[in-house]
Amino acid sequence: MITADDLLELPVAPRAPAGLRSLLPANSVAVSIVIPAKNAAAYLAETLASALTQGDVGEVIVVDDGSTDDTVAIVRAVRDPRLRLLHNDAAGVSAARNLGARHANGEWLLFLDADDRLRPGAVAALLSAARGAPRAILVYGDYNTIDGEGRQIGRRDLLRGRRKPSGDVLVQLTAGNFIVNGGIVLTRADAFRAVGGFDVSLRYCEDWHCWCRLAAIGEFAFAPKLLLDYRLHTSNTMNAAVRTPQDFLPAVARVFDDGLILARLPEGAASGLRQAAEIHLVTYSAMQAVRFGRYREAFAYLAMIGRLSLGSLPRAAIRVALARFGI
């Protein structure tokens, strides 16, 4: 059996022709930003401003998911012809994103959470990376973290020069979601629709599952820049202060029961990749526990990793320690 520690040496299965890899035109391509919003009044105005000041953005679509606060009023108060408002009737964040994508006119989609904010030039940086990798159907960058008041708490700027995978990334991505936040991603609209969008049956990690399906049909490209301020607080979509590994396991089962993904993985790799994904998510849970001061839980999660794979424990412990310092 191939284990989690063997993954870096695995070859990647050949790609199936998908008809989705046309060259990016030299001129600017319209980008549609989709913002699902439910009771997002506290941060939405800041999020909208960060989106509407981006170059190359043809439209910003806010999908209200049954808000009972001033979310809708905030959107209607913004006088910008690129801003559109849709209603989702509290069907959930994945359904809201899918609805926005169905109504989008842009060739590229960016899914921005209603409490995060794009950094100046973020979309331009992603489009530049896309032009440098014309076969890519998804381009992504990096992020830093802020608190509920908008103060920077992350120190990921110390990771200058860090590279993440580009090209054929399916093996690495099924082993763990290295993208983390959809606000740092541009994905080709035709490719997103071809894979069916976000799975509405998943409550958590639905983005990871979608990225894996996209990686099964095309190439990715990484732009090594901090493009997003990712807000960490107890009321965001992930509710990171209280989530446990058990919340994420349904997504692991979904990824490794997905025929499109499995058909593109190297033969015999799925078992080891699944173990790696579980370790990744437990490590993520430990990192979040440390960020919110729940050290006893963090140690319990590290012990869980040791039981899954003793060889994976040192790297996981380093990542958890770095999370204490915002890295």
Side-chain angles (χ1 to χ4, degrees), residues 253-306:
R254 183 70 186 91
V255 166
F256 290 96
D257 189 38
D258 190 308
L260 176 63
I261 296 169
L262 293 177
R264 299 289 171 257
L265 291 176
E267 185 177 355
S271 178
L273 288 167
R274 182 169 185 153
Q275 182 189 62
E278 291 173 353
I279 291 168
H280 177 90
L281 287 170
V282 177
T283 302
Y284 173 80
S285 299
M287 293 166 66
Q288 295 296 70
V290 163
R291 287 177 177 134
F292 289 96
R294 300 185 346 260
Y295 300 111
R296 182 175 297 181
E297 289 182 33
F299 281 115
Y301 296 151
L302 286 172
M304 188 184 303
I305 292 168

Side-chain angles (χ1 to χ4, degrees), residues 183-196:
I184 59 172
V185 171
L186 280 187
T187 183
R188 283 277 301 267
D190 54 0
F192 177 81
R193 294 172 184 130
V195 300

Side-chain angles (χ1 to χ4, degrees), residues 16 32 117 128 130 146 168 226 306 312:
S32 297
R117 63 192 186 203
S128 177
I146 57 175
D168 197 337
L226 298 177
S312 300

Side-chain angles (χ1 to χ4, degrees), residues 7-149:
L7 299 177
L8 293 179
E9 302 304 321
L10 285 174
V12 179
R15 309 308 260 197
L20 296 171
R21 303 189 206 169
S22 60
L23 296 180
L24 186 69
N27 59 316
S28 295
V29 177
V31 172
S32 297
I33 296 179
V34 176
I35 305 176
K38 182 170 186 176
N39 296 331
Y43 306 108
L44 184 57
E46 186 178 10
T47 300
L48 287 175
S50 78
L52 290 167
T53 55
Q54 301 289 321
D56 301 295
V57 171
E59 60 186 356
V60 175
I61 302 172
V62 177
V63 184
D64 174 55
D65 192 31
S67 297
T68 56
D69 65 359
D70 292 332
T71 291
V72 171
I74 289 170
V75 178
R76 288 176 174 165
V78 177
R79 299 298 178 222
D80 191 308
R82 295 172 298 162
L83 183 60
R84 301 167 59 192
L85 176 64
L86 303 176
H87 297 280
N88 189 49
D89 298 326
V93 65
S94 290
R97 290 174 180 146
N98 290 342
L99 177 63
R102 285 198 299 273
H103 287 266
N105 297 308
E107 184 175 351
W108 295 89
L109 301 173
L110 186 149
F111 297 98
L112 179 63
D113 288 344
D115 55 356
D116 294 340
R117 63 192 186 203
L118 290 168
R119 292 188 167 195
V123 170
L126 288 168
L127 284 174
S128 177
R131 293 188 185 101
R135 295 178 68 85
I137 63 171
L138 183 149
V139 292
Y140 69 105
D142 213 336
Y143 64 89
N144 217 334
T145 52
I146 57 175
D147 65 13
E149 303 302 317

Side-chain angles (χ1 to χ4, degrees), residues 144-228:
N144 217 334
T145 52
I146 57 175
D147 65 13
E149 303 302 317
R151 296 181 295 257
Q152 181 173 304
I153 55 177
R155 303 184 67 191
R156 296 170 74 90
D157 52 310
L158 299 177
L159 301 175
R160 292 176 182 173
R162 181 174 71 153
R163 303 295 303 186
K164 288 188 176 184
S166 289
D168 197 337
V169 304
L170 182 60
V171 166
Q172 297 100 314
L173 190 58
T174 52
N177 184 10
F178 49 75
I179 294 175
V180 180
N181 189 305
I184 59 172
V185 171
L186 280 187
T187 183
R188 283 277 301 267
D190 54 0
F192 177 81
R193 294 172 184 130
V195 300
F198 296 104
D199 187 335
V200 298
S201 73
L202 291 174
R203 189 176 179 189
Y204 303 107
C205 301
E206 73 290 333
D207 55 343
W208 173 50
H209 172 249
C210 182
W211 309 149
C212 286
R213 284 178 64 82
L214 285 163
I217 67 168
E219 298 176 4
F220 287 17
F222 175 58
K225 294 184 178 180
L226 298 177
L227 306 177
L228 180 80

